[in-house]
Amino acid sequence: MHRTAIYPGTFDPITNGHLDIIKRAVKIFDTVIVAVANNVGKAPLFTIEQRVEMIKESVKGISQVEVDAFNGLIIEYCQQKGATALIRGLRAISDFEYEFQMALINRKIGKDVESVFLMPKEKYTYLSSSIIKEIAAFGGDVSCFVPDVVKRHLNDKYAETKEHA
Ligand code: COA
């Protein structure tokens, strides 16, 4: 049986921590669809198209990965794609309570989709997209935290902001 998993998130932007989770997920599943949320309460820095493009570029060498955007409930998207699993990364104990709540709600909505939690390498456990944006906004070097394509986009974005300031 072909096993498809969905890895959802805002990915504003994707980091090396997310990539680490994707590389672990492809060892377990035949296809991993990285699904970029279009409707979250966050006000993303990058457009949905930019976030999708940056992920596509970052996963170029990994053949089992697809990248897509989704609207609405993640469980409905999983069902549309015939996915049996929902991947989430657990970085620290502080992630647990929120993830536990999401997993239980998602299980209530869609009984056929199992949540699967993967832990990134220790060196990525303190990463988040917000922290990356903060470092980049103040001109810090984010090379060791994000793929090159993201670094370029962050530099462009904050150069734009400075020009208009
Ligand atoms: N490496 C680096 N950062 C990581 C990470 C990792 N391995 N794992 C998580 N993070 C970061 C993310 O970058 C994000 O950082 P930020 O807050 O600075 O932007 C944070 O941890 C996690 O954000 P969170 O909001 O918890 O999750 P998300 O943005 O990844 O995605 C959705 C949440 C989109 C999956 C969820 O809201 C959803 O499914 N929405 C669809 C609607 C729905 O179905 N709702 C019901 C679900 S209960």
Side-chain angles (χ1 to χ4, degrees):
M1 191 180 103
H2 188 99
R3 290 184 184 275
T4 300
I6 307 287
Y7 180 33
T10 312
F11 301 108
D12 185 45
I14 186 166
T15 70
N16 287 343
H18 295 124
L19 267 182
D20 182 272
I21 298 288
I22 295 168
K23 287 176 187 162
R24 287 172 201 282
V26 294
K27 292 187 202 158
I28 312 173
F29 296 96
D30 302 302
T31 299
V32 173
I33 304 175
V34 182
V36 185
N38 203 4
N39 62 345
V40 282
K42 297 177 172 181
L45 177 67
F46 293 106
T47 64
I48 188 90
E49 292 81 13
Q50 287 171 324
R51 284 179 277 149
V52 166
E53 274 318 304
M54 284 188 277
I55 302 172
K56 280 190 177 162
E57 180 75 29
S58 309
V59 299
K60 250 182 182 162
I62 319 171
S63 58
Q64 292 142 272
V65 182
E66 294 172 19
V67 188
D68 195 10
F70 77 99
N71 285 297
L73 290 176
I74 188 59
I75 286 297
E76 286 178 0
Y77 179 78
C78 288
Q79 288 163 343
Q80 262 171 41
K81 294 285 172 184
T84 49
L86 194 56
I87 307 279
R88 293 289 290 167
L90 273 187
R91 293 162 299 169
I93 294 183
S94 50
D95 282 342
F96 180 79
E97 210 165 326
Y98 174 63
E99 293 299 336
F100 187 63
Q101 182 190 27
M102 275 222 298
L104 292 183
I105 292 175
N106 282 333
R107 183 187 285 168
K108 188 92 188 154
I109 311 174
K111 293 191 174 56
D112 313 330
V113 182
E114 284 300 331
S115 293
V116 175
F117 297 95
L118 298 175
M119 275 179 278
K121 252 185 209 144
E122 301 87 291
K123 66 175 178 182
Y124 298 135
T125 49
Y126 55 85
L127 281 189
S128 76
S129 300
S130 304
I131 228 112
I132 299 292
K133 285 180 280 190
E134 187 166 323
I135 298 169
F138 288 116
D141 183 13
V142 291
S143 312
C144 52
F145 305 130
V146 294
D148 283 349
V149 59
V150 173
K151 187 185 167 187
R152 287 199 302 275
H153 271 78
L154 282 167
N155 287 345
D156 291 350
K157 187 64 91 176
Y158 289 114
E160 246 171 56
T161 317
K162 274 184 202 145
E163 272 167 28
H164 292 106

